[in-house]
Amino acid sequence: ANTTLLVNISSVPCATSTGRCKLNVAQPITLQGSLFPSAPASSSPAWLAEWSTVEGDVDISRRDVSLTDAGSLTLVLRPNVLSEGAVYTFRLLARRAAALLTPADAAAAAMSGNGGVVEGGYAQVVIECNAAPSGGRFLVDRTQGEALTSNFTLTALGWNDDAADMPLKYSDRKSTRLN
């Protein structure tokens, strides 16, 4: 007998109502999937899960790309493995474990032409990678000064970014050279 399976990507690292999510590629990206009914606590799971890339140029099966196995309900991508400005679609596919199929279901799966999957489902999420602002200049009005007495004027001009990323935010920090 067929069982209904609900596959969900329940934790996306940004709020979205459009099915799209814009992320910073310099941060690890974690996608959390869930299945209902969930697999019982036994030695063999009722459902087998697998992540894949539907759109995009990343091979999530590589250990230098993903910190988790493709068969996990959680997909964790390492920082800087996705490309700035690119769009990726990730899919979580779940299917009934072959060991749990009746002989009749297994025979039907083999004849179906759909890779032997009789029961299952999937969910997917679209990730848009944020691109850095471009086209601008950063100017400093002087190259030397005295600590705590000299004023420096810092100016950022002509930077462009997506309207959704506006207004631009700036930060500064001090660097000390050790000789």
Side-chain angles (χ1 to χ4, degrees):
N2 285 354
T3 303
T4 300
L5 173 66
L6 173 66
V7 181
N8 187 35
I9 300 174
S10 56
S11 178
V12 178
C14 66
T16 177
S17 60
T18 63
R20 288 180 84 99
C21 181
K22 191 181 243 188
L23 298 175
N24 179 353
V25 299
Q27 302 294 323
I29 296 170
T30 301
L31 301 176
Q32 179 64 53
S34 61
L35 307 178
F36 184 81
S38 58
S42 66
S43 60
S44 66
W47 301 101
L48 300 176
E50 183 175 17
W51 287 94
S52 62
T53 306
V54 176
E55 177 186 3
D57 61 352
V58 65
D59 180 358
I60 61 173
S61 67
R62 293 178 36 182
R63 297 309 281 162
D64 61 336
V65 171
S66 176
L67 294 169
T68 52
D69 292 326
S72 169
L73 286 176
T74 304
L75 175 63
V76 181
L77 300 175
R78 294 177 184 272
N80 300 308
V81 297
L82 303 181
S83 301
E84 284 189 2
V87 175
Y88 296 87
T89 303
F90 297 101
R91 177 180 290 172
L92 175 60
L93 170 71
R95 59 184 168 79
R96 176 71 86 179
L100 299 175
L101 293 177
T102 66
D105 286 342
M111 302 288 287
S112 69
N114 66 352
V117 176
V118 207
E119 299 174 335
Y122 70 90
Q124 56 189 41
V125 62
V126 178
I127 302 289
E128 183 178 353
C129 297
N130 194 25
S134 62
R137 296 180 297 150
F138 181 74
L139 306 170
V140 180
D141 70 336
R142 64 174 70 199
T143 59
Q144 295 182 354
E146 290 189 33
L148 303 176
T149 60
S150 298
N151 290 322
F152 289 80
T153 302
L154 311 175
T155 308
L157 298 170
W159 291 96
N160 298 306
D161 205 353
D162 293 336
D165 295 337
M166 295 297 195
L168 293 178
K169 297 176 187 172
Y170 301 90
S171 64
D172 61 74
R173 64 193 106 173
K174 176 186 167 200
S175 175
T176 303
R177 223 182 269 163
L178 299 174
N179 292 335

